[in-house]
Short mmCIF file of all heavy atoms in Angstrom, two decimals:
data_model
loop_
_atom_site.label_atom_id
_atom_site.label_comp_id
_atom_site.label_asym_id
_atom_site.label_seq_id
_atom_site.Cartn_x
_atom_site.Cartn_y
_atom_site.Cartn_z
N SER A 1 -134.27 -108.20 -167.73
CA SER A 1 -133.26 -108.07 -168.65
C SER A 1 -133.65 -107.35 -169.87
O SER A 1 -132.86 -106.55 -170.49
CB SER A 1 -132.55 -109.43 -169.00
OG SER A 1 -133.57 -110.24 -169.63
N GLU A 2 -134.90 -107.48 -170.20
CA GLU A 2 -135.46 -106.69 -171.39
C GLU A 2 -135.43 -105.27 -171.08
O GLU A 2 -135.18 -104.33 -172.09
CB GLU A 2 -136.91 -107.11 -171.62
CG GLU A 2 -137.10 -108.57 -172.15
CD GLU A 2 -137.23 -109.58 -170.95
OE1 GLU A 2 -137.02 -109.16 -169.79
OE2 GLU A 2 -137.64 -110.72 -171.24
N ASP A 3 -135.69 -104.80 -169.80
CA ASP A 3 -135.55 -103.34 -169.59
C ASP A 3 -134.11 -102.89 -169.49
O ASP A 3 -133.82 -101.69 -169.89
CB ASP A 3 -136.25 -103.17 -168.24
CG ASP A 3 -137.72 -103.25 -168.32
OD1 ASP A 3 -138.38 -103.06 -169.43
OD2 ASP A 3 -138.32 -103.67 -167.31
N TYR A 4 -133.24 -103.75 -169.13
CA TYR A 4 -131.82 -103.35 -169.22
C TYR A 4 -131.43 -103.13 -170.62
O TYR A 4 -130.64 -102.22 -171.00
CB TYR A 4 -130.91 -104.43 -168.62
CG TYR A 4 -130.61 -104.17 -167.10
CD1 TYR A 4 -130.67 -105.21 -166.23
CD2 TYR A 4 -130.21 -102.91 -166.64
CE1 TYR A 4 -130.38 -105.03 -164.89
CE2 TYR A 4 -129.92 -102.80 -165.32
CZ TYR A 4 -130.04 -103.78 -164.41
OH TYR A 4 -129.79 -103.59 -163.11
N ALA A 5 -131.92 -103.94 -171.54
CA ALA A 5 -131.62 -103.82 -172.97
C ALA A 5 -132.14 -102.50 -173.43
O ALA A 5 -131.53 -101.75 -174.34
CB ALA A 5 -132.27 -104.87 -173.79
N TRP A 6 -133.36 -102.08 -173.00
CA TRP A 6 -133.98 -100.78 -173.36
C TRP A 6 -133.02 -99.64 -172.75
O TRP A 6 -132.71 -98.65 -173.55
CB TRP A 6 -135.30 -100.65 -172.78
CG TRP A 6 -136.01 -99.35 -173.08
CD1 TRP A 6 -136.80 -99.12 -174.28
CD2 TRP A 6 -136.01 -98.13 -172.41
NE1 TRP A 6 -137.23 -97.84 -174.28
CE2 TRP A 6 -136.90 -97.27 -173.15
CE3 TRP A 6 -135.39 -97.70 -171.25
CZ2 TRP A 6 -137.04 -95.89 -172.72
CZ3 TRP A 6 -135.67 -96.49 -170.76
CH2 TRP A 6 -136.42 -95.50 -171.51
N TRP A 7 -132.62 -99.76 -171.59
CA TRP A 7 -131.71 -98.68 -170.98
C TRP A 7 -130.38 -98.58 -171.75
O TRP A 7 -129.85 -97.51 -171.91
CB TRP A 7 -131.52 -98.95 -169.48
CG TRP A 7 -132.60 -98.50 -168.63
CD1 TRP A 7 -133.43 -99.25 -167.88
CD2 TRP A 7 -132.93 -97.17 -168.28
NE1 TRP A 7 -134.34 -98.57 -167.17
CE2 TRP A 7 -134.06 -97.25 -167.47
CE3 TRP A 7 -132.50 -95.94 -168.78
CZ2 TRP A 7 -134.66 -96.02 -166.93
CZ3 TRP A 7 -133.11 -94.75 -168.31
CH2 TRP A 7 -134.23 -94.77 -167.36
N SER A 8 -129.82 -99.77 -172.11
CA SER A 8 -128.57 -99.74 -172.77
C SER A 8 -128.66 -98.98 -174.10
O SER A 8 -127.77 -98.19 -174.51
CB SER A 8 -128.08 -101.20 -173.04
OG SER A 8 -127.84 -101.87 -171.95
N GLU A 9 -129.79 -99.13 -174.79
CA GLU A 9 -130.00 -98.39 -176.04
C GLU A 9 -130.24 -96.89 -175.75
O GLU A 9 -129.73 -96.00 -176.51
CB GLU A 9 -131.23 -99.01 -176.86
CG GLU A 9 -131.48 -98.27 -178.18
CD GLU A 9 -132.46 -99.05 -178.93
OE1 GLU A 9 -132.87 -100.22 -178.61
OE2 GLU A 9 -132.85 -98.49 -179.96
N GLU A 10 -131.02 -96.65 -174.75
CA GLU A 10 -131.40 -95.33 -174.35
C GLU A 10 -130.14 -94.48 -173.89
O GLU A 10 -130.00 -93.32 -174.29
CB GLU A 10 -132.47 -95.37 -173.15
CG GLU A 10 -132.88 -93.98 -172.74
CD GLU A 10 -133.98 -93.39 -173.63
OE1 GLU A 10 -134.35 -93.94 -174.65
OE2 GLU A 10 -134.38 -92.27 -173.33
N LEU A 11 -129.29 -95.14 -173.13
CA LEU A 11 -128.08 -94.43 -172.59
C LEU A 11 -126.85 -94.48 -173.48
O LEU A 11 -125.85 -93.78 -173.28
CB LEU A 11 -127.71 -94.96 -171.24
CG LEU A 11 -128.87 -94.71 -170.14
CD1 LEU A 11 -128.39 -95.39 -168.89
CD2 LEU A 11 -129.20 -93.29 -170.02
N GLY A 12 -126.96 -95.34 -174.44
CA GLY A 12 -125.89 -95.55 -175.40
C GLY A 12 -124.64 -96.20 -174.86
O GLY A 12 -123.47 -96.07 -175.32
N ARG A 13 -124.86 -97.14 -173.90
CA ARG A 13 -123.77 -97.87 -173.25
C ARG A 13 -124.35 -99.17 -172.58
O ARG A 13 -125.59 -99.09 -172.28
CB ARG A 13 -122.97 -97.04 -172.21
CG ARG A 13 -123.90 -96.48 -171.05
CD ARG A 13 -122.97 -95.59 -170.19
NE ARG A 13 -123.77 -94.92 -169.16
CZ ARG A 13 -123.81 -95.31 -167.89
NH1 ARG A 13 -123.22 -96.41 -167.56
NH2 ARG A 13 -124.54 -94.62 -167.06
N GLU A 14 -123.55 -100.13 -172.43
CA GLU A 14 -124.08 -101.36 -171.90
C GLU A 14 -124.42 -101.25 -170.42
O GLU A 14 -123.52 -100.73 -169.60
CB GLU A 14 -123.07 -102.55 -172.10
CG GLU A 14 -123.56 -103.91 -171.62
CD GLU A 14 -124.63 -104.38 -172.58
OE1 GLU A 14 -124.72 -103.91 -173.75
OE2 GLU A 14 -125.36 -105.28 -172.15
N ILE A 15 -125.66 -101.62 -169.97
CA ILE A 15 -126.01 -101.62 -168.62
C ILE A 15 -126.25 -103.14 -168.26
O ILE A 15 -127.18 -103.81 -168.73
CB ILE A 15 -127.38 -100.77 -168.41
CG1 ILE A 15 -127.18 -99.41 -169.07
CG2 ILE A 15 -127.69 -100.75 -166.88
CD1 ILE A 15 -126.16 -98.56 -168.30
N GLY A 16 -125.49 -103.65 -167.39
CA GLY A 16 -125.51 -105.00 -167.07
C GLY A 16 -126.15 -105.42 -165.85
O GLY A 16 -126.61 -104.44 -165.06
N PRO A 17 -126.46 -106.66 -165.59
CA PRO A 17 -127.11 -107.09 -164.34
C PRO A 17 -126.50 -106.56 -163.10
O PRO A 17 -125.28 -106.43 -162.91
CB PRO A 17 -126.92 -108.65 -164.45
CG PRO A 17 -126.84 -108.91 -165.89
CD PRO A 17 -126.08 -107.71 -166.49
N GLY A 18 -127.40 -106.17 -162.12
CA GLY A 18 -126.99 -105.67 -160.93
C GLY A 18 -126.85 -104.22 -160.78
O GLY A 18 -126.64 -103.73 -159.72
N THR A 19 -126.81 -103.57 -161.94
CA THR A 19 -126.44 -102.07 -162.01
C THR A 19 -127.44 -101.30 -161.19
O THR A 19 -127.14 -100.30 -160.38
CB THR A 19 -126.49 -101.57 -163.46
OG1 THR A 19 -125.43 -102.27 -164.27
CG2 THR A 19 -126.19 -100.13 -163.45
N PHE A 20 -128.75 -101.65 -161.20
CA PHE A 20 -129.75 -100.95 -160.48
C PHE A 20 -129.99 -101.49 -159.08
O PHE A 20 -130.89 -101.07 -158.30
CB PHE A 20 -131.10 -101.02 -161.26
CG PHE A 20 -131.09 -100.21 -162.59
CD1 PHE A 20 -132.11 -100.39 -163.47
CD2 PHE A 20 -130.13 -99.33 -162.83
CE1 PHE A 20 -132.09 -99.64 -164.68
CE2 PHE A 20 -130.09 -98.55 -164.00
CZ PHE A 20 -131.14 -98.77 -164.92
N GLY A 21 -129.21 -102.43 -158.64
CA GLY A 21 -129.15 -102.95 -157.34
C GLY A 21 -130.21 -104.07 -157.09
O GLY A 21 -130.52 -104.42 -155.97
N GLU A 22 -130.59 -104.72 -158.14
CA GLU A 22 -131.53 -105.86 -158.03
C GLU A 22 -130.86 -107.07 -157.64
O GLU A 22 -129.71 -107.25 -157.99
CB GLU A 22 -132.35 -106.04 -159.28
CG GLU A 22 -131.67 -106.77 -160.48
CD GLU A 22 -130.70 -105.98 -161.24
OE1 GLU A 22 -130.50 -104.84 -160.93
OE2 GLU A 22 -130.06 -106.57 -162.21
N ASN A 23 -131.61 -107.97 -156.94
CA ASN A 23 -131.06 -109.24 -156.56
C ASN A 23 -131.20 -110.29 -157.69
O ASN A 23 -130.23 -111.04 -157.78
CB ASN A 23 -131.86 -109.75 -155.31
CG ASN A 23 -131.81 -108.84 -154.10
OD1 ASN A 23 -132.96 -108.18 -153.84
ND2 ASN A 23 -130.66 -108.62 -153.55
N LEU A 24 -132.20 -110.17 -158.37
CA LEU A 24 -132.42 -111.19 -159.54
C LEU A 24 -132.71 -110.41 -160.74
O LEU A 24 -133.62 -109.58 -160.82
CB LEU A 24 -133.54 -112.10 -159.21
CG LEU A 24 -133.54 -112.86 -157.89
CD1 LEU A 24 -134.79 -113.81 -157.79
CD2 LEU A 24 -132.27 -113.77 -157.87
N THR A 25 -131.80 -110.62 -161.74
CA THR A 25 -132.08 -110.15 -163.14
C THR A 25 -132.77 -111.26 -163.80
O THR A 25 -132.29 -112.42 -163.83
CB THR A 25 -130.79 -109.82 -163.85
OG1 THR A 25 -129.99 -108.99 -163.00
CG2 THR A 25 -131.18 -108.97 -165.09
N VAL A 26 -134.02 -111.00 -164.33
CA VAL A 26 -134.83 -112.09 -164.91
C VAL A 26 -135.33 -111.76 -166.32
O VAL A 26 -135.32 -110.60 -166.78
CB VAL A 26 -136.04 -112.43 -164.06
CG1 VAL A 26 -135.68 -112.80 -162.69
CG2 VAL A 26 -136.98 -111.18 -164.02
N SER A 27 -135.58 -112.80 -167.16
CA SER A 27 -136.17 -112.55 -168.47
C SER A 27 -137.47 -113.19 -168.58
O SER A 27 -137.80 -114.20 -167.90
CB SER A 27 -135.20 -113.20 -169.51
OG SER A 27 -135.16 -114.58 -169.31
N GLY A 28 -138.38 -112.62 -169.37
CA GLY A 28 -139.63 -113.17 -169.61
C GLY A 28 -140.84 -112.69 -168.76
O GLY A 28 -141.99 -113.02 -168.95
N LEU A 29 -140.45 -111.94 -167.71
CA LEU A 29 -141.49 -111.33 -166.86
C LEU A 29 -142.40 -110.31 -167.56
O LEU A 29 -141.76 -109.53 -168.30
CB LEU A 29 -140.76 -110.75 -165.64
CG LEU A 29 -141.63 -110.48 -164.37
CD1 LEU A 29 -142.02 -111.81 -163.72
CD2 LEU A 29 -140.84 -109.69 -163.38
N PRO A 30 -143.68 -110.45 -167.39
CA PRO A 30 -144.55 -109.55 -168.17
C PRO A 30 -144.27 -108.03 -167.92
O PRO A 30 -143.79 -107.64 -166.82
CB PRO A 30 -145.98 -109.87 -167.65
CG PRO A 30 -145.84 -111.25 -167.24
CD PRO A 30 -144.46 -111.38 -166.57
N ALA A 31 -144.41 -107.21 -168.87
CA ALA A 31 -144.24 -105.82 -168.74
C ALA A 31 -145.53 -105.09 -169.20
O ALA A 31 -146.33 -105.66 -169.88
CB ALA A 31 -143.13 -105.37 -169.66
N PRO A 32 -145.78 -103.88 -168.77
CA PRO A 32 -144.90 -103.01 -167.98
C PRO A 32 -145.16 -103.25 -166.47
O PRO A 32 -144.27 -102.78 -165.73
CB PRO A 32 -145.39 -101.59 -168.35
CG PRO A 32 -146.86 -101.78 -168.74
CD PRO A 32 -146.98 -103.09 -169.23
N GLY A 33 -146.25 -103.75 -166.07
CA GLY A 33 -146.54 -103.93 -164.63
C GLY A 33 -147.10 -105.29 -164.39
O GLY A 33 -147.72 -105.89 -165.23
N ILE A 34 -146.88 -105.73 -163.14
CA ILE A 34 -147.45 -107.04 -162.80
C ILE A 34 -148.31 -106.88 -161.50
O ILE A 34 -148.09 -106.04 -160.72
CB ILE A 34 -146.27 -108.04 -162.53
CG1 ILE A 34 -146.78 -109.42 -162.29
CG2 ILE A 34 -145.40 -107.56 -161.34
CD1 ILE A 34 -145.64 -110.45 -162.24
N ALA A 35 -149.39 -107.68 -161.48
CA ALA A 35 -150.27 -107.49 -160.34
C ALA A 35 -149.76 -107.80 -158.93
O ALA A 35 -149.08 -108.82 -158.80
CB ALA A 35 -151.52 -108.34 -160.54
N VAL A 36 -149.90 -106.92 -158.04
CA VAL A 36 -149.47 -107.27 -156.56
C VAL A 36 -150.17 -108.46 -156.14
O VAL A 36 -151.43 -108.62 -156.42
CB VAL A 36 -149.87 -105.98 -155.72
CG1 VAL A 36 -149.57 -106.41 -154.24
CG2 VAL A 36 -149.00 -104.76 -156.13
#
């Protein structure tokens, strides 16, 4: 969800959950990458 907030600011419009086709929109997951 933190990345959606970034995209919303970047694109100048609200980008909501599911827009990118994800199954689970989550908060608190580490960024920018997580170990496989």
